[in-house]
Amino acid sequence: MTRVAYQGAEGAFSEAAALTAYPDAETVGYATFHEVFEAVAGGAVHCGVVPVENSLAGSINQTYDLLLEHDLHVVGEVILRVQHCLVAPKGTRIEEVRRVISHPQALAQCDGFLARYHLEGVPVYDTAGAARQLAQHPEPGVAAIASRRAAERYGLEVLAEGIEDFEFNYTRFFVLATQERPRGEGPHKTSVVFALRQRLGHSPGGLLEVLQGFAEHRVNLTKLESRPRRDRPWSYVFYVDFEGHVEDPAPAQALLALLRRASFVKVLGSYPMAPNGA
């Protein structure tokens, strides 16, 4: 049976993403993103699923840093609709709730709901972990924000569903493995990370010059983001997603142009595009 690592407790959105990618898999939760990467790299699991960006909160910077540090391949992506619930021990009425525990991002995404009911948000490390903590150590007047799946897993009652401030709340996940996946059918994406040569790093148009090959070969960029380099102050690496597979003619030519102009390029992977990942 395929074993898939994710960060968090049972019922986490990351576990739901893992089961979306591998419905019949055995999911294995780890406390940190670093442990997920290590589990995949060390062979404890077949693959891992980690969040890379949220449609409201932006990129998960720790994931991008770990992608640069580890020699793993991105072999898939999952786009998951995130729907938050207010959950509490059975018999709790919403009028009794005064404090709500959850991951800081979940609390921020439900800020309007918390304000409307005059609830105090208390950050903890994980949404599903908050549900588990509440089930194991219930306190009067305390509820949690988590998924319906987490509520069912830990025997909690859903007091309110869909409490996020915006419906357009999606998280994108990468599927990680030690080996590349053979090219399949359908549209693909490719993710790479690169750095500018020193002469271009602080010159006008330097980034444009390095990316020129994508325009020349009509390859569409779907994401471009910079992150600080850890080995050189005030220098940056750039993460790029583009449409197509590295084996396709136009993306291959665009990537070759990037290799010629950048100081280094790391191909994170080419993978099937999620149905709603355009």
Side-chain angles (χ1 to χ4, degrees):
M1 177 179 288
T2 301
R3 304 182 78 237
V4 185
Y6 68 94
Q7 186 275 326
E10 289 183 58
F13 290 108
S14 289
E15 185 189 33
L19 291 170
T20 299
Y22 299 95
D24 298 322
E26 175 191 354
T27 55
V28 185
Y30 289 87
T32 66
F33 293 138
H34 180 79
E35 289 178 80
V36 172
F37 276 77
E38 289 296 324
V40 177
V45 295
H46 295 93
C47 57
V49 174
V50 291
V52 289
E53 60 180 322
N54 177 264
S55 58
L56 300 177
S59 295
I60 314 297
N61 292 330
Q62 186 181 5
T63 299
Y64 277 106
D65 290 340
L66 288 167
L67 284 167
L68 185 58
E69 295 172 9
H70 289 76
D71 189 22
L72 296 178
H73 300 278
V74 179
V75 298
E77 73 170 351
V78 176
I79 310 293
L80 187 72
R81 169 74 163 90
V82 176
Q83 190 171 45
H84 293 302
C85 298
L86 184 72
V87 305
K90 291 182 178 180
T92 303
R93 294 184 298 113
I94 194 169
E95 295 80 11
E96 300 171 344
V97 178
R98 294 291 177 266
R99 298 169 62 236
V100 179
I101 60 175
S102 194
H103 187 279
Q105 193 173 102
L107 293 172
Q109 291 172 4
C110 302
D111 184 66
F113 178 87
L114 297 177
R116 190 158 58 250
Y117 283 90
H118 307 288
L119 303 175
E120 176 192 0
V122 180
V124 296
Y125 79 98
D126 182 29
T127 53
R132 181 176 62 186
Q133 176 182 326
L134 185 61
Q136 294 175 344
H137 306 285
E139 297 180 48
V142 178
I145 293 175
S147 67
R148 172 173 284 278
R149 177 183 173 84
E152 294 170 352
R153 169 63 181 81
Y154 298 110
L156 299 174
E157 187 172 345
V158 175
L159 305 183
E161 191 166 10
I163 65 173
E164 60 274 6
D165 296 338
F166 300 96
E167 291 184 5
F168 188 74
N169 189 8
Y170 294 83
T171 297
R172 179 182 178 220
F173 296 81
F174 275 163
V175 181
L176 306 175
T178 56
Q179 301 294 324
E180 297 180 75
R181 175 181 292 175
R183 196 202 194 294
E185 299 297 324
H188 281 65
K189 275 185 188 176
T190 298
S191 296
V192 303
V193 56
F194 69 89
L196 301 179
R197 297 184 188 277
Q198 189 170 1
R199 69 175 181 82
L200 297 175
H202 299 285
S203 63
L207 179 59
L208 177 61
E209 179 180 334
V210 170
L211 294 174
Q212 191 64 36
F214 291 95
E216 292 171 355
H217 297 284
R218 303 187 63 79
V219 176
N220 185 43
L221 301 183
T222 60
K223 181 183 177 70
L224 171 63
E225 184 160 347
S226 63
R227 288 284 298 145
R229 292 187 65 166
R230 295 186 172 187
D231 59 347
R232 189 176 302 170
W234 316 121
S235 295
Y236 299 86
V237 293
F238 296 88
Y239 290 88
V240 169
D241 294 344
F242 59 86
E243 293 179 354
H245 194 282
V246 291
E247 296 177 0
D248 297 337
Q253 290 299 316
L255 186 58
L256 182 60
L258 180 65
L259 287 164
R260 288 170 176 163
R261 294 166 177 166
S263 64
F264 89 89
V265 177
K266 179 179 181 181
V267 179
L268 299 175
S270 288
Y271 45 90
M273 185 184 296
N276 50 353

